[in-house]
Amino acid sequence: MKNKWNAAFQLAAVYVGTVVGAGFATGKEIVEFFSQFGFIGLIGILISGAIFSYFGSKLMRISVKIKAKSYQEFTIFLFGKWMGTLINIIMLIMLIGVCAVMLSGAGAIFEEQLGFSKATGVIFTIVLSILVMAVGMKGLFAVNTFVVPIMISFSFILFFYTVQMPDFASHIFIDKNSSWKAFASPFSYTALNLSLAIAVLVPAASEIGDEDTVKWGGIIGGFALMLILISSHFTLIMLEDVNRYAIPMATIMRTLAPNLSWVYILVIYGEIFTSVIGNVYGLERQLRGYIRLPGIMIIAVIFFISYAISFIHYGTLLSWLYPLFGYISLIFLLLLMLKPIPEN
């Protein structure tokens, strides 16, 4: 029983680490989908937490039942062979786009926070990713199990400082923007992240192979994501003109807890790094079925394409690609909701 719970918490850490990537860790993604809408954004976060827990758990239980080794097998089960193949091609484009956002985020940290060039940050991340990926899934588990608890801790440290600010309570209930995007955001946001997370969660769940363990891994991971989203949202709404910052969380940390700001930048980088590994791992697993090349060559091609795209400005890349991919991913969420878990 103890081993089951250990495995469930490890899987939850991988789930959180996969979702908490460049946009989430820097705060830019949370601003884009939630914080710019004020109180409506908070309601959206609560809805997102429920979706993450239920559907994350469901997709991993299905993966165990059908013994899916890659997200390609999972999407074919979900959509059928013809439509599944089309969805896999779209997913391939999306994952490469997200890898580019992650690398661009890493470059933005080196440029905006550390004073290095963006290219230095991107190249350093690529080299480090290849070294960790050489270890395989164990390397991904190890990095996430270390980084995710630290990320959660820092989110709550910032939250602790934020609630002590004199005008905190009044900011919570401000309704900044009640457009249709505010109401669609929790669904497009979770659809985007779940459709991208299957690249990691499907093989991870299949490797564990126990339905009960992966069910609780999904529930715990979804709940943890909701808590981090809430604490980050409460912090971000206190920042004036939050949309203009590429890395708003680091800006807030520098203001509220300057002694911890450098450590927090490393934590943000760690979360970006885990997402890069997870996405490239999922891409490599899918492309292996189409391209007869050694795994390291496939990884090199993925990084080369992502590297080229990553030099578009990080904020522009995220603000344009993430909402677009979110709306495309809504069909994935709908099919996942309608598809029953196989009995055997």
Side-chain angles (χ1 to χ4, degrees), residues 16 20 24 30 42 45-46 48-50 52-53 151-157 159 219-235 249:
V16 174
V20 183
F24 193 122
I30 301 171
L42 176 60
I45 288 170
L46 297 176
S48 296
F52 273 132
S53 286
M151 179 68 197
I152 294 172
S153 300
F154 269 89
S155 292
F156 285 110
I157 289 169
F159 174 67
I219 292 169
I220 295 165
F223 184 70
L225 283 166
M226 184 181 71
L227 290 180
I228 304 170
L229 275 169
I230 290 170
S231 63
S232 299
H233 169 75
F234 282 157
T235 302
M249 291 298 282

Side-chain angles (χ1 to χ4, degrees), residues 25-280:
T26 60
K28 190 69 178 173
E29 185 178 336
I30 301 171
V31 170
E32 186 66 35
F33 283 94
F34 302 111
S35 298
Q36 67 169 315
F37 306 120
F39 182 68
I40 298 297
L42 176 60
I43 302 299
I45 288 170
L46 297 176
I47 295 168
S48 296
I51 295 171
F52 273 132
S53 286
Y54 178 76
F55 287 104
S57 178
K58 184 176 182 179
L59 78 85
M60 288 192 281
R61 289 173 68 194
I62 291 173
S63 301
V64 171
K65 286 282 192 180
I66 66 174
K67 296 180 172 62
K69 300 298 180 189
S70 69
Y71 77 82
Q72 181 185 6
E73 294 174 32
F74 183 88
T75 49
I76 286 173
F77 169 80
L78 203 62
F79 294 95
K81 192 166 185 179
W82 184 86
M83 191 66 177
T85 303
L86 178 63
I87 293 295
N88 281 327
I89 294 168
I90 295 169
M91 283 288 299
L92 184 70
I93 295 166
M94 285 172 59
L95 280 168
I96 290 173
V98 170
C99 281
V101 172
M102 301 297 170
L103 289 175
S104 185
I109 286 178
F110 272 70
E111 186 176 41
E112 189 175 295
Q113 303 296 323
L114 303 177
F116 293 96
S117 69
K118 185 173 183 177
T120 302
V122 173
I123 293 167
F124 177 79
T125 305
I126 290 171
V127 172
L128 200 58
S129 299
I130 291 170
L131 291 174
V132 172
M133 288 180 72
V135 183
M137 185 59 83
K138 287 182 180 178
L140 181 60
F141 271 95
V143 173
N144 275 291
T145 305
F146 174 72
V147 172
V148 168
I150 299 174
M151 179 68 197
I152 294 172
S153 300
F154 269 89
S155 292
F156 285 110
I157 289 169
L158 272 178
F159 174 67
F160 175 76
Y161 281 111
T162 302
V163 295
Q164 296 180 62
M165 296 175 76
D167 53 348
F168 170 71
S170 62
H171 276 73
I172 293 175
F173 298 102
I174 294 173
D175 185 8
K176 295 182 180 178
N177 182 359
S178 297
S179 69
W180 67 269
K181 287 183 179 180
F183 297 96
S185 280
F187 303 100
S188 61
Y189 174 76
T190 48
L192 166 69
N193 281 290
L194 281 168
S195 63
L196 294 171
I198 62 170
V200 179
L201 296 182
V202 169
S206 294
E207 191 163 303
I208 289 172
D210 180 75
E211 189 182 349
D212 198 46
T213 302
V214 301
K215 179 185 82 171
W216 282 105
I219 292 169
I220 295 165
F223 184 70
L225 283 166
M226 184 181 71
L227 290 180
I228 304 170
L229 275 169
I230 290 170
S231 63
S232 299
H233 169 75
F234 282 157
T235 302
L236 288 162
I237 58 173
M238 301 301 292
L239 187 63
E240 291 295 326
D241 199 15
V242 68
N243 288 71
R244 74 185 180 89
Y245 297 98
I247 308 173
M249 291 298 282
T251 302
I252 293 167
M253 178 61 88
R254 241 188 350 258
T255 304
L256 297 180
N259 293 335
L260 296 172
S261 62
W262 290 106
V263 182
Y264 189 65
I265 288 165
L266 290 175
V267 172
I268 292 176
Y269 180 79
E271 283 300 343
I272 292 173
F273 178 62
T274 58
S275 292
V276 170
I277 299 169
N279 280 291
V280 174

